[in-house]
Structure formats: C-alpha cells, structure tokens
Amino acid sequence: MVRSMTGFGRGVTTTDDFQLTVEIRSVNHRFLEIHSKFPKEWLEIELLAKKQLSQLVSRGKLDITINVKMEEQSSFNVQVNWPVIEAYIGAKEQLSSRIAMEENWSMQDILSLENAILYEKSEIPIEQLKLATQSALNEAAEQLIQMRELEGKQLKTFLLQYKDELMEQLKIIRKFSPQAVEKYRVKLIERMKEITVSKDLDDRILAEVALFAERIDISEELDRLESHFSQLVDTLNEDVSIGRKLDFLMQECLREINTIGSKNQSIECSVAVVQSKTLLEKMREQVQNIE
C-alpha cells in the first residue's frame, strides 16, 4: 500500500488522576528520524515510545510531543508540618513571656508561617505512565498512519495518471523516430549529388544511412522505459516501503529519456521528449513524499 510521509495523529489517555496527550507530526525525510519532547525524567518511556513508532513507520521525520494535565483534586497533597508549627508555638510562648500577644492564631496567620504547610505535587507511578503513554501513542500512531495512507492513495492516483500520459508520449516517439532516418537519407543524397557523380553513390549512401540509423536507434531505450513503467505499477501495489525503489525508477526513466533526446533530433520526438521530462519531474516530486 502506498503511504505518504506527511501526517498528524493525536491520542489521549484519561484516568482519575490525570489526562495524558500524545501528538505526532510527520514530514518527508530520506530515512526514519524521530524527535521527541518528553520530560527529562521520562527517559525510559521516551525510548519505549521511539521503539514502538519505529516498528510502525519506515521513513519520515517524526516529532512527538507529550503533555500531562493533572486533575485538580489529585494535583496537590497538603501536609501540616507539625515540627515547624510546634517550633513556632514555642517561639511565641517565649515572646509572650515578655510582651503582650494575642492568644488565638487565625488560619491566615498559620499559612503565613514559612514551611508550616507543605504542598506536595502528586507523583504518577512510572508503570501507570508507561501504560498511559503506550495507549495514547497507539491512538496517535493509528491516526497518523490513516492520514498517510489516505494521502498515499492520492499520490498513487497521480502517479498512474502521469504514467499513462508518459506512455502516450512514448507512442509519439516510436511513431516519428523513423522519420529522422528518412530525413537524413534525403538530405545526404542531396549533399552527395552536389559533391560527386560517382556510380557507387547509392551504395555509399546506404552504408552511411545504415550507420546513422544505428547511431540514433532508440528502440532499446524505449523498451527499457516501458519495462520501468511496468515495474512502477507493480511497485505501487506492494505492501512494503516503496519510496526509495520508486525514486530509483524515476532516476532510470529520466536517464533513458535524456538518452532518447540526445539521439533523436526530429521535431516531433523533441517535443515529446520535453513533455516526457516534465511529466517525470512531476512524478519525482510526488515520489519524494512516499514512504
């Protein structure tokens, strides 16, 4: 199946204590490159996430971001620091023995005492984080792959359309390429008649035309091009990563069409060659984004 290398996926895992969100963005790249933005203390989870993605995706530059939002009721754990409170009480009693002070303390007074109340942020167990990350990552990866496959179908359609147009250009080249030999023969006869009256003129012309025909023969290049197009269709139906293979086929097709253009100089063929190059460049642009 043809898959693009661009896409986006988002996965969410919600528990009683927190909500974990994973987002994956993907663009085209020659190889598989995964960048992640995880908290430093989540190194083990980050490595597991990269390994999990590398088993699902073959090529592309992937950016993974993760965000954890704690539920309000579980975000903080409030503790009374009794040793500190008792120390403040002792200090107050000492002050009261010398100066008049109010006996009652308000809650505001207590909260104003440094370190009297401890606020501890809830810690999520590592195993719970692993499971939550794996679940959210699976959901995000599934969305990412679905988007890549959807765009891949469009790319496949474009490539097959371009291939059909190229086949039409090859028909034109096959039709008009023999005319180059005939035009050369006529031109050669006129030229030879101007410079010689030899009785062996016909034989000399035939020999020269034969050499010219062999020199500009493009039948092998045309056959190889049609073979490449056949491989293109077969490759588009494969279930593995095909981007690099398609890129190689495009290079070979362009090499063959360049050879055809350099060998055959007829006007009709030259026009078809230019059109073929344009189509191949469009195909290469599309192929650059296939996994």
Side-chain angles (χ1 to χ4, degrees):
M1 177 180 291
V2 180
R3 292 203 302 197
S4 167
M5 283 191 284
T6 59
F8 172 80
R10 185 174 186 268
V12 179
T13 299
T14 303
T15 69
D16 293 337
D17 299 323
F18 64 91
Q19 183 182 78
L20 185 146
T21 304
V22 173
E23 292 183 348
I24 309 173
R25 290 173 173 82
S26 172
V27 295
N28 59 324
H29 195 270
R30 189 175 180 183
F31 305 104
L32 176 61
E33 187 175 306
I34 303 176
H35 297 274
S36 55
K37 298 178 181 178
F38 284 29
K40 293 182 179 179
E41 59 272 19
W42 290 23
L43 179 59
E44 183 181 358
I45 297 176
E46 183 177 10
L47 293 175
L48 289 173
K50 287 184 176 181
K51 182 179 180 181
Q52 185 177 344
L53 267 181
S54 65
Q55 295 173 346
L56 300 173
V57 178
S58 300
R59 293 178 67 202
K61 181 180 178 181
L62 278 64
D63 289 306
I64 316 171
T65 57
I66 189 168
N67 179 58
V68 178
K69 180 181 179 182
M70 300 295 296
E71 296 296 334
E72 292 184 3
Q73 64 270 23
S74 62
S75 296
F76 294 97
N77 184 20
V78 180
Q79 297 287 340
V80 178
N81 194 345
W82 287 112
V84 171
I85 293 290
E86 291 171 355
Y88 277 117
I89 292 174
K92 184 179 179 182
E93 290 175 348
Q94 293 180 33
L95 289 171
S96 298
S97 64
R98 295 193 178 187
I99 59 176
M101 299 186 68
E102 295 182 5
E103 292 295 328
N104 297 327
W105 282 10
S106 67
M107 187 64 182
Q108 185 174 357
D109 294 332
I110 297 174
L111 292 174
S112 65
L113 299 176
E114 186 176 359
N115 296 326
I117 304 297
L118 301 178
Y119 302 92
E120 298 179 353
K121 192 172 182 180
S122 300
E123 294 291 335
I124 306 172
I126 188 67
E127 289 302 321
Q128 191 175 359
L129 277 176
K130 285 182 183 179
L131 293 174
T133 302
Q134 185 178 24
S135 177
L137 188 68
N138 280 335
E139 183 182 354
E142 184 178 353
Q143 291 183 12
L144 174 73
I145 292 172
Q146 286 177 352
M147 186 175 291
R148 285 163 67 116
E149 289 178 350
L150 181 61
E151 187 172 335
K153 290 180 180 179
Q154 296 175 342
L155 291 174
K156 180 179 179 180
T157 299
F158 291 147
L159 289 174
L160 291 176
Q161 288 176 350
Y162 291 144
K163 187 270 299 181
D164 291 340
E165 293 179 34
L166 274 166
M167 293 298 291
E168 293 300 318
Q169 297 304 317
L170 292 191
K171 290 179 182 178
I172 294 174
I173 294 173
R174 281 192 184 276
K175 178 179 178 181
F176 289 100
S177 60
Q179 292 185 4
V181 177
E182 178 61 22
K183 289 180 179 179
Y184 179 76
R185 188 185 70 82
V186 173
K187 185 177 180 180
L188 185 61
I189 290 174
E190 293 175 353
R191 181 70 171 170
M192 294 290 283
K193 285 181 178 179
E194 291 177 0
I195 61 176
T196 183
V197 291
S198 172
K199 295 181 180 180
D200 299 328
L201 183 61
D202 290 341
D203 292 339
R204 294 172 61 183
I205 290 175
L206 287 173
E208 182 65 25
V209 170
L211 288 174
F212 178 77
E214 183 178 354
R215 192 163 60 248
I216 69 167
D217 179 54
I218 57 174
S219 58
E220 290 186 7
E221 286 79 4
L222 290 171
D223 291 341
R224 282 195 292 268
L225 268 176
E226 291 186 354
S227 174
H228 293 332
F229 293 155
S230 178
Q231 290 183 61
L232 171 69
V233 175
D234 292 340
T235 302
L236 289 173
N237 292 321
E238 293 179 2
D239 291 329
V240 295
S241 177
I242 59 174
R244 291 175 186 162
K245 184 177 179 180
L246 289 176
D247 189 46
F248 173 76
L249 284 173
M250 291 301 100
Q251 293 179 31
E252 290 300 299
C253 287
L254 192 58
R255 185 171 67 85
E256 299 296 348
I257 202 67
N258 282 332
T259 302
I260 290 173
S262 64
K263 282 187 174 183
N264 199 302
Q265 301 298 321
S266 69
I267 296 175
E268 294 83 1
C269 286
S270 296
V271 172
V273 165
V274 170
Q275 183 63 22
S276 297
K277 287 183 180 181
T278 302
L279 290 169
L280 282 171
E281 286 300 331
K282 290 181 179 179
M283 293 178 75
R284 285 193 70 181
E285 290 178 5
Q286 301 293 345
V287 165
Q288 295 302 314
N289 199 33
I290 292 179
E291 183 180 354

